[in-house]
Amino acid sequence: MANLESSNLEFSATEIMTVAASRLLQNGTVCFVGIGLPSTAANLARLTHAPDVVLIYESGPIGAKPTVLPLSIGDGDLSLTADTVVSTPEIFRYWLQGGRIDVGFLGAAQIDRFANINTTVIGPYDNPKVRLPGAGGAPEIAAQAKEVFIVLKQNKKAFVEKLPFITSAGFLDGGDAREKAGITGGGPTAVITDLGILTPDPVTRELTLTSIHPGVTVEQVREATGWDVKISPDLKVTEIPDADALAALRDLQARTAKAHGQSTSSEG
């Protein structure tokens, strides 16, 4: 837990990551949400500074307002609390391919320096060490949303020099490779981790550390990254979570744990 005397607030690395990610969502944004950390951050935004954010899930809910965090895209609470529910083909064809998604909010098992992500396998595809959950709708979201936020914890197993498999395209080999490949969406604009926030260089598209969380050192970030990570000369310190955001996040997690018969913890 981080403890800043000036604020008298204690928060975990996972909590500041989640709050920092939620702050990126603006009110009224149409957001295509992934399950897990992206859903936590997006729903926290809805419960705090962005009450009119429109959350869309792959299974068809539009304007979902779940009372607890969903276990999967098929969680009934998403449909029960949505403004409307449409078919999955309509979500992808009309909303995503039609250019109506402002933000795609994704998680990942692994990421590389150009924000390509892997959620398919660890190790060789034909004989993997670990078979991951797979692509789902992430490749399409990463390709066609106007911008993409990616949230995951930072360590050398997750931030790797070379991905064993590219599930969803970031900026491919960097530079204008994404545009040359005919990928229409804007691509990743922020990668939010438990150590800081990385954003792509406007020319090379390589991820650069632009904000570091309080109490974290640049050396810690370097040690948790599988390549020589670029550090912005204008490196900022992430704003600490405010009391209201922390209370909303903890209440959401407690309700979720109770609903799903689980224990809850803010450590991470």
Side-chain angles (χ1 to χ4, degrees), residues 14-24 41 44 49 239-242 245-246 249:
T14 300
E15 286 177 329
I16 191 171
M17 170 176 62
T18 306
V19 172
S22 76
R23 286 180 179 144
L24 296 178
L44 178 61
H49 68 279
E239 181 183 351
I240 66 170
D242 61 81
L246 281 175
L249 174 59

Side-chain angles (χ1 to χ4, degrees), residues 200-213:
D201 180 271
V203 177
T204 68
R205 300 300 189 180
E206 183 171 348
L207 290 175
T208 301
L209 183 71
T210 52
S211 183
I212 194 167
H213 297 335

Side-chain angles (χ1 to χ4, degrees), residues 113-251:
R113 70 177 69 219
F114 295 116
N116 302 299
I117 64 178
N118 172 29
T119 56
T120 303
V121 293
I122 303 295
Y125 184 82
D126 292 333
N127 186 27
K129 295 178 181 177
V130 179
R131 178 72 66 178
L132 298 170
E140 289 81 6
I141 297 168
Q144 295 175 317
K146 293 177 184 176
E147 64 176 322
V148 176
F149 303 153
I150 303 167
V151 58
L152 74 164
K153 293 185 178 182
Q154 191 162 356
N155 56 66
K156 282 189 174 179
K157 289 184 178 180
F159 281 63
V160 298
E161 177 71 31
K162 183 175 177 58
L163 293 176
F165 190 94
I166 296 179
T167 308
S168 305
F171 294 103
L172 300 177
D173 295 326
D176 61 356
R178 181 181 172 95
E179 290 78 6
K180 285 182 175 178
I183 303 176
T184 56
T189 56
V191 176
I192 309 96
T193 82
D194 51 345
L195 300 180
I197 300 173
L198 301 97
T199 58
D201 180 271
V203 177
T204 68
R205 300 300 189 180
E206 183 171 348
L207 290 175
T208 301
L209 183 71
T210 52
S211 183
I212 194 167
H213 297 335
V216 176
T217 66
V218 169
E219 185 57 33
Q220 282 178 279
V221 176
R222 292 191 188 280
E223 290 177 355
T225 309
W227 66 86
D228 185 13
V229 63
K230 304 291 185 183
I231 310 297
S232 170
D234 300 316
L235 183 64
K236 296 177 174 59
V237 176
T238 309
E239 181 183 351
I240 66 170
D242 61 81
D244 289 343
L246 281 175
L249 174 59
R250 291 168 182 173
D251 184 56

